[in-house]
């Protein structure tokens, strides 16, 4: 199936150029000793990352857009949303052409990359702005726009649009499709719980507080009241970053709340060693100058734990991060953490 404004076969993939991509992602984006909500932007940091993971991740994103576009691209109908999507797309194009001229070219309204072989029409009658965003960058991009709420008319930022192709057990909108069982029985109760869980995992139209309430308690307790104020005070063009990490027993990037894998290996130290991955999410916040929208970007890495254990710098960072987990995270990762720490003990570097 073809996607409007996205063309294959018009640009030749350059295998030699792909070999020039950075390969130090495990070291650059390793687990941080302490997860901090907002970190100051550092010299040398990239907003959009082009490295060895880029070609394969863009290919996977293209597959998802061809098969489940409605699950990964969504927005609330609003003129301000449309304007923010177009500004985000154009900002990304300008950035890629300036920072990575060897990897991206533009001719009229067509942007091409020999890393992927894709040509993207960014004209008014070309690709949907969010689809262009999803295939220009391997980062997921979510747009938060302010609304006035409460007696004091304070700005509250709501997630109103996004290209979320690599979710981690959540979604933009619920796509729960199981039929309701008849009668009042145990099956009906399970169905109701599953439906409620799906709706809770859907985050389109919600504020940061609403998104995290009931999911990440330490965020609600320590950060929620300050995030909207921080977003409101961000200067146009300002960028900040943070990083999350967690063990997964799957190498799948697309973990939509309503399309999770049916069966995974049991959570044991041995299975972490044989089948486990570390999922590291490098997250950025930037404010668009014209619309004032805050862009939440998520660059996701999946490293096989058996390979990570061979990388001394990445392994040390992971062990240190595990040792320094906040107490609240023990409840948040109660199911996976004990066996994962047993696995880590096998590889702990000598002090």
């Amino acid at each position: 199936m073809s996607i409007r404004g996205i063309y294959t076969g018009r640009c030749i993939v350059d295998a030699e150029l792909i070999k020039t991509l950075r390969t130090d992602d495990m070291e650059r984006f390793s687990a941080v000793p302490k997860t901090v909500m907002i970190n100051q932007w550092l010299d040398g940091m990239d907003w959009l990352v082009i490295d060895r993971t880029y070609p394969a991740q863009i290919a996977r994103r293209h597959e998802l857009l061809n098969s489940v576009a409605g699950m990964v691209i969504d927005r609330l109908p609003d003129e301000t949303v449309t304007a923010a999507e177009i500004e985000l797309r154009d900002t990304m194009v300008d950035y890629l052409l300036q920072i990575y001229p060897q990897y991206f070219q533009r001719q009229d309204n067509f942007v091409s990359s020999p890393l992927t072989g894709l040509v993207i029409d960014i004209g008014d009658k070309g690709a949907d702005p969010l689809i262009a965003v999803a295939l220009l960058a391997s980062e997921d991009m979510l747009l938060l726009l302010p609304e006035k709420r409460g007696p004091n008319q304070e700005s509250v930022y709501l997630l109103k649009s996004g290209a979320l192709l690599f979710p981690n057990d959540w979604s933009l909108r619920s796509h729960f499709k199981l039929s309701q069982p008849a009668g009042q029985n145990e099956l009906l109760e399970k169905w109701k719980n599953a439906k409620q869980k799906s709706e809770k995992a859907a985050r389109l139209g919600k504020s940061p507080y609403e998104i995290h309430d009931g999911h990440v308690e330490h965020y609600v307790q320590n950060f929620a009241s300050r995030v909207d104020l921080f977003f409101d005070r961000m200067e146009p063009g300002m960028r900040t970053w943070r990083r999350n990490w967690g063990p997964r027993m799957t190498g799948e990037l697309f973990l939509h709340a309503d399309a999770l894998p049916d069966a995974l290996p049991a959570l044991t130290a041995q299975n972490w060693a044989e089948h486990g991955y570390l999922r590291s999410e490098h997250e950025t916040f930037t404010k668009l100058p014209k619309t004032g929208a805050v862009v939440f970007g998520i660059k996701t890495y999946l490293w096989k734990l058996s390979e990570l254990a061979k990388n001394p710098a990445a392994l040390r960072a992971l062990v240190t991060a595990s040792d320094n987990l906040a107490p609240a995270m023990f409840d948040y990762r109660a199911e996976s953490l004990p066996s994962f720490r047993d696995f880590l003990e096998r590889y702990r570097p000598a002090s």
Side-chain angles (χ1 to χ4, degrees):
M1 185 179 84
S2 62
I3 305 171
R4 190 190 82 219
I6 305 298
Y7 303 98
T8 58
R10 296 189 183 183
C11 176
I12 298 174
V13 174
D14 189 334
E16 292 303 312
L17 190 64
I18 290 174
K19 293 178 182 178
T20 69
L21 293 169
R22 296 188 70 154
T23 60
D24 60 345
D25 41 282
M26 276 192 191
E27 297 88 352
R28 292 178 73 208
F29 300 102
S30 57
V32 289
K34 184 178 180 182
T35 301
V36 178
M37 183 59 203
I38 299 293
N39 293 279
Q40 184 176 359
W41 200 257
L42 304 174
D43 291 340
M45 292 185 73
D46 297 316
W47 177 43
L48 305 178
V49 178
I50 308 296
D51 61 16
R52 65 170 178 165
T53 66
Y54 180 81
Q57 288 199 1
I58 293 295
R60 179 63 176 137
R61 295 166 83 80
H62 198 192
E63 290 174 358
L64 291 166
L65 288 169
N66 274 309
S67 58
V68 291
M71 298 181 78
V72 297
I73 299 284
D74 214 332
R75 76 259 290 176
L76 299 181
D78 192 312
E79 289 183 0
T80 61
V81 171
T82 301
E85 290 176 359
I86 292 171
E87 185 181 12
L88 172 60
R89 178 201 65 197
D90 293 346
T91 301
M92 289 173 59
V93 169
D94 290 344
Y95 183 91
L96 291 170
L97 292 173
Q98 178 184 351
I99 304 300
Y100 303 107
Q102 71 276 40
Y103 298 139
F104 297 89
Q105 293 82 44
R106 178 175 183 173
Q107 184 173 5
D108 298 324
N109 287 327
F110 296 92
V111 178
S112 60
S113 175
L115 297 177
T116 63
L118 294 180
V119 177
I120 301 172
D121 183 352
I122 60 171
D124 293 340
K125 296 182 180 179
D128 178 297
L130 281 186
I131 288 180
V133 163
L135 292 176
L136 284 166
S138 54
E139 286 86 356
D140 286 336
M141 291 289 179
L142 307 171
L143 286 164
L144 296 99
L145 288 99
E147 282 191 4
K148 299 295 183 182
R149 285 186 177 181
N152 298 323
Q153 289 293 283
E154 296 175 334
S155 292
V156 176
Y157 282 75
L158 305 181
L159 174 55
K160 291 193 173 184
S161 174
L164 181 67
L165 287 87
F166 298 154
N168 193 14
D169 293 348
W170 58 291
S171 64
L172 291 169
R173 198 186 297 269
S174 173
H175 286 260
F176 186 79
K177 295 180 180 178
L178 293 178
S179 300
Q180 180 175 340
Q184 296 292 326
N185 51 37
E186 185 178 341
L187 288 178
L188 177 62
E189 196 62 31
K190 287 183 178 179
W191 179 88
K192 287 180 179 178
N193 290 336
K195 187 172 188 293
Q196 183 181 37
K197 184 178 180 181
S198 171
E199 291 170 348
K200 193 170 186 178
R203 298 178 182 180
L204 195 67
K206 296 179 180 179
S207 69
Y209 180 91
E210 293 164 338
I211 287 171
H212 291 89
D213 187 25
H215 292 282
V216 189
E217 197 60 36
H218 71 282
Y219 171 91
V220 173
Q221 293 174 357
N222 299 305
F223 302 114
S225 62
R226 292 175 281 168
V227 169
D228 286 308
L229 182 61
F230 177 81
F231 287 163
D232 210 36
R233 291 179 177 177
M234 284 182 76
E235 295 292 330
M238 178 181 175
R239 293 177 187 145
T240 61
W241 70 276
R242 68 191 298 268
R243 195 167 303 144
N244 277 335
W245 65 271
R248 297 298 314 220
M249 202 65 83
T250 174
E252 176 57 67
L253 285 160
F254 173 65
L255 295 178
H256 189 286
D258 298 315
L260 296 174
D262 291 330
L264 295 174
L267 298 177
T268 67
Q270 185 60 33
N271 280 341
W272 285 120
E274 294 180 6
H275 308 290
Y277 289 80
L278 185 75
R279 186 172 178 124
S280 178
E281 296 179 354
H282 180 70
E283 303 171 350
T284 61
F285 299 92
T286 189
K287 196 166 196 177
L288 299 178
K290 294 179 182 178
T291 59
V294 172
V295 182
F296 178 36
I298 310 169
K299 170 62 179 178
T300 301
Y301 289 95
L302 271 176
W303 299 304
K304 199 90 165 61
L305 285 171
S306 57
E307 293 300 315
L308 187 148
K310 300 173 186 175
N311 185 309
L315 178 61
R316 282 195 301 271
L318 179 56
V319 170
T320 301
S322 176
D323 289 344
N324 287 280
L325 275 177
M329 295 303 293
F330 286 85
D331 292 332
Y332 184 55
R333 297 179 181 167
E335 184 179 4
S336 62
L337 195 57
S339 59
F340 178 70
R341 285 191 150 182
D342 288 344
F343 155 77
L344 273 187
E345 285 303 315
R346 299 182 179 185
Y347 298 93
R348 179 181 292 275
S351 55

